[in-house]
Amino acid sequence: MDSVTEDRAPEPLTEYAHRLTHRVRAFDRRHPLLWDLHFAGFWVTAALIDYAGGGWRHNAHDLDVPGWLLVLSLGLSVPLLRRRTHPAAVLATMAPFALVNAWTGAALQASLLQLVPVYHLALRRPLRNLWWATALVIAPVLVSIARYGEGTWDQQIGSQLMSVTVAVLIGVTVRTRRNYTEALEDRARRLEIERDQQAQLATAAERARIAREMHDIIGHNLSVITGLADGGRYAAGKSPERAAQALDAIATTSRQALTELRRLLDVMREEEQDQAARSPQPGLTDLGPLLDGVRSAGLPVHTTVHGDPTLPPGRQLTVYRVIQEALTNTLKHGGPDATAEIELSYEDKGAVTATITDTGNGSRTDHTARGGRGLPGMRERTALYGGTLEAGPRPHPEQGWRVRLHLPEEHPQ
């Protein structure tokens, strides 16, 4: 406890003053009328003390005006109650009392309170209002010089103009700082909104990516398992050995699906992200096991490759997933006698074309209208690399389905 106290540095005076100012302003925003009452009450009290104590006599040009003092003191201080909401009206209300104060020679110091509404005019109103405000403040000085002739014109007017200038400069400075602070706060709010929007977009994109991966992993493997189970059921009565082979293939496919599913879930868990990153996504080298699983499920597949398959991992994954999805759809909808053919053409600079055709005779529709994730997922993957994807029935008189993927050349960033 002692060590913690000793390590604690004293709070700087500027931070303390800033925090205190922030609290005062917060209180003012919550209770503006109470603050205005305190401010106006302070100057009313000061004006009355000046009147009752006789301090005004030290500056008065004429000492025979005691009857006016109370009214003048109140007239120059009470209007300050509305100085923030109606500074122009407050200054106009104080002007007659200031003129009477100068004409009678009382020269009450409360007349300097005219600078308060001038400050608020500079703080809240257009600067063009300051011309007539300056005229109202200078007018009593002109009246006093003309009537009593004390001091030179330039000295008296220059002093008053200097006071008005200081009040205006303070108001403009506070106004500029307030506008700057509001601009910073507005920018911070907009950045916060933009950050939240970016987070929402990132979340939506991540959900779409996870949905694609889940669909590709689970959908394909379940289709293979379904084909194997159907084949094993037919073979159970005639060839127990074929049924046992189908069951072994089902177990192998299930384990592969579980492995890929665990890898995807590990990526979603922050504490195992590094370990999951070491497990690569499937690529073109994994097409062999994929095709073996499809063939074991009863779909004959023939593959033709043109060119050298040198693609980055991201493009390999896209090609792999599109082939996987196309074969999955053939297993689901192609019928028992369907066959499939895959043609891969590799070009320079990462360009590749993959065409998957089948001879299925089953009915097939675009699953987008029914909420399916197959074709939308393939198109989303293709769009990441600026590619094109075509999927539809083969031209008449041929039967079956064709999926054609084309990824263009890579362009260096």
Side-chain angles (χ1 to χ4, degrees):
M1 223 24 213
D2 294 338
S3 60
V4 173
T5 306
E6 290 175 359
D7 293 340
R8 228 169 134 186
E11 184 178 19
L13 182 60
T14 54
E15 292 185 7
Y16 176 79
H18 178 74
R19 191 170 72 252
L20 181 62
T21 303
H22 179 74
R23 290 180 179 178
V24 171
R25 289 176 178 173
F27 178 82
D28 184 24
R29 286 192 296 268
R30 293 193 303 269
H31 310 285
L33 180 59
L34 183 61
W35 184 259
D36 289 341
L37 286 172
H38 277 80
F39 183 86
F42 173 81
W43 290 113
V44 169
T45 302
L48 294 179
I49 290 176
D50 185 49
Y51 159 70
W56 61 276
R57 299 178 181 274
H58 298 289
N59 300 312
H61 302 299
D62 186 357
L63 300 178
D64 297 330
V65 288
W68 292 94
L69 293 183
L70 180 60
V71 176
L72 293 179
S73 298
L74 295 177
L76 292 171
S77 56
V78 172
L80 293 178
L81 182 63
R82 306 300 299 274
R83 75 196 184 282
R84 292 196 288 188
T85 56
H86 302 83
V90 169
L91 184 60
T93 302
M94 298 171 69
F97 295 97
L99 289 173
V100 173
N101 177 53
W103 180 263
T104 59
L108 293 174
Q109 296 298 307
S111 62
L112 294 176
L113 294 177
Q114 286 181 292
L115 298 176
V116 175
V118 170
Y119 159 79
H120 284 281
L121 281 173
L123 181 63
R124 292 180 171 84
R125 299 291 188 269
L127 295 181
R128 61 176 177 270
N129 292 341
L130 297 177
W131 296 109
W132 65 264
T134 302
L136 285 181
V137 176
I138 295 296
V141 177
L142 298 178
V143 170
S144 179
I145 295 175
R147 183 168 175 79
Y148 298 100
E150 292 187 5
T152 60
W153 286 77
D154 57 345
Q155 181 181 5
Q156 295 291 333
I157 296 177
S159 176
Q160 192 70 354
L161 283 175
M162 182 62 69
S163 300
V164 173
T165 301
V166 171
V168 170
L169 288 177
I170 295 175
V172 170
T173 301
V174 174
R175 180 180 188 172
T176 303
R177 180 174 178 81
R178 181 177 296 176
N179 292 340
Y180 177 71
T181 303
E182 291 177 353
L184 290 179
E185 293 176 350
D186 180 67
R187 183 171 181 269
R189 283 193 296 269
R190 287 188 284 108
L191 289 176
E192 185 176 355
I193 293 174
E194 183 179 352
R195 180 201 63 193
D196 293 341
Q197 291 175 344
Q198 292 293 336
Q200 292 174 0
L201 291 175
T203 301
E206 183 64 13
R207 286 177 177 173
R209 186 189 69 82
I210 294 173
R212 288 197 305 266
E213 296 293 336
M214 295 287 286
H215 175 274
D216 293 340
I217 294 171
I218 298 177
H220 169 75
N221 287 287
L222 286 181
S223 297
V224 172
I225 291 173
T226 301
L228 291 171
D230 290 339
R233 182 182 61 185
Y234 289 120
K238 299 179 180 180
S239 177
E241 294 181 357
R242 295 290 300 275
Q245 292 176 357
L247 291 176
D248 291 340
I250 289 174
T252 302
T253 304
S254 300
R255 293 189 187 97
Q256 291 175 352
L258 286 175
T259 301
E260 292 191 33
L261 185 59
R262 288 194 185 100
R263 180 175 59 196
L264 178 62
L265 295 178
D266 287 343
V267 173
M268 298 169 59
R269 296 172 57 185
E270 183 178 358
E271 63 273 13
E272 297 183 12
Q273 189 171 5
D274 293 338
Q275 181 179 356
R278 292 193 291 269
S279 300
Q281 290 277 28
L284 296 177
T285 56
D286 300 303
L287 279 179
L290 173 68
L291 299 180
D292 291 340
V294 172
R295 293 186 182 108
S296 64
L299 176 63
V301 182
H302 177 70
T303 304
T304 304
V305 179
H306 305 283
D308 186 15
T310 56
L311 293 177
R315 290 180 170 237
Q316 291 191 35
L317 176 63
T318 299
V319 175
Y320 179 92
R321 291 304 189 195
V322 169
I323 294 175
Q324 182 186 53
E325 176 62 23
L327 295 178
T328 300
N329 288 336
T330 302
L331 283 172
K332 288 181 180 178
H333 311 290
D337 298 326
T339 62
E341 182 175 350
I342 301 172
E343 183 178 357
L344 291 172
S345 299
Y346 299 101
E347 304 171 18
D348 296 334
K349 299 181 180 179
V352 61
T353 301
T355 304
I356 305 96
T357 57
D358 65 58
T359 59
N361 55 8
S363 61
R364 199 178 318 186
T365 58
D366 188 347
H367 299 283
T368 305
R370 295 184 294 169
R373 289 293 310 172
L375 288 177
M378 287 193 290
R379 291 194 174 99
E380 289 171 1
R381 292 182 183 277
T382 305
L384 292 176
Y385 297 96
T388 57
L389 181 76
E390 300 174 1
R394 299 172 68 184
H396 187 74
E398 298 177 340
Q399 66 177 13
W401 197 266
R402 184 183 71 171
V403 176
R404 184 180 184 275
L405 164 72
H406 176 70
L407 299 182
E409 297 179 357
E410 288 187 284
H411 296 286
Q413 301 295 329

